[in-house]
């Protein structure tokens, strides 16, 4: 294969793949608006990759979910319930899939004795910006207690942190065609 043909195939492949969306949620305390951490989102071929880095969290396990609305007012209550487009029971989406658990049920995140917590997961079938199960514009919620995976929402307690999921780095719109000279 020559260089020109290889470059052409690369361009065709990139065009067919489309733009891989990325996003971010800045988690803040629901009572004092203090910074808690950042969650990064990226659409990948395997699903939505989620990377969270939190600080100043009470030690122990805390439920960590994507909720249906992107508002964190009223101590995070405006974020609504867990994101659940299939009206599935509460569960472990990483184990059970979006057909059998809330698409926003990320499970738990463990805060160490120093208050730091991190999480890295990939949600198959979930996307940030396009598709049936999109989370862009929704919110990430950190709960005060552990998610015990019971019905209907896991007994996770109050919402201690919340952040809307915002799309970043969207591609610029295509430039208009250059005017033709007559």
């Amino acid at each position: 294969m020559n260089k020109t043909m290889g470059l052409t195939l690369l361009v065709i492949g990139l065009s067919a793949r489309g733009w891989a969306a990325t996003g971010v949620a800045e988690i803040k305390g629901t009572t004092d608006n203090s910074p808690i951490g950042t969650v990064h989102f990226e659409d990948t071929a395997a699903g939505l990759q989620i990377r969270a880095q939190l600080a100043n969290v009470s030690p122990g396990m805390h439920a960590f979910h994507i909720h249906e609305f992107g508002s964190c007012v009223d101590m995070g209550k405006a974020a609504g319930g867990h994101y659940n487009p299939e009206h599935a029971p509460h569960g472990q989406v990483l184990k059970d899939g979006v057909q059998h658990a809330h698409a926003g049920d990320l499970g738990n995140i463990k805060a160490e004795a120093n208050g730091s917590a991190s999480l890295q997961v990939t949600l198959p079938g979930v996307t940030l910006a396009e598709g049936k199960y999109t989370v862009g514009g929704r919110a990430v919620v950190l709960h005060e207690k552990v998610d015990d995976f019971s019905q209907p929402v896991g007994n996770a307690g109050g919402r201690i942190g919340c952040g809307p999921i915002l799309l970043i780095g969207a591609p610029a719109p295509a430039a208009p065609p250059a005017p033709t000279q007559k």
Side-chain angles (χ1 to χ4, degrees), residues 42-166:
E42 182 177 357
D43 282 336
T44 70
L48 182 64
Q49 183 181 71
I50 301 172
R51 295 180 335 268
Q53 286 295 137
L54 309 180
N56 306 314
V57 179
S58 61
M61 299 295 281
H62 297 271
F64 198 59
H65 302 129
I66 297 172
H67 283 242
E68 59 189 334
F69 305 117
S71 175
C72 291
V73 299
D74 192 21
M75 297 182 64
K77 293 176 188 163
H82 297 175
Y83 175 51
N84 186 16
E86 291 293 330
H87 308 286
H90 180 66
Q92 299 180 42
V93 71
L94 293 168
K95 182 179 103 181
D96 302 328
V98 294
Q99 300 294 325
H100 304 289
H102 300 168
D105 288 345
L106 299 177
N108 294 298
I109 189 168
K110 182 181 180 183
E112 302 298 331
N114 67 1
S116 68
S118 64
L119 177 75
Q120 184 165 334
V121 297
T122 300
L123 295 178
V126 177
T127 62
L128 186 59
E130 295 179 1
K132 186 173 181 180
Y133 307 110
T134 60
V135 299
R138 301 183 192 289
V140 178
V141 174
L142 177 67
H143 291 270
E144 67 178 327
K145 298 179 184 175
V146 66
D147 184 337
D148 66 9
F149 300 106
S150 63
Q151 300 304 319
V153 291
N155 295 318
R159 300 166 188 207
I160 59 173
C162 185
I165 301 169
L166 306 174

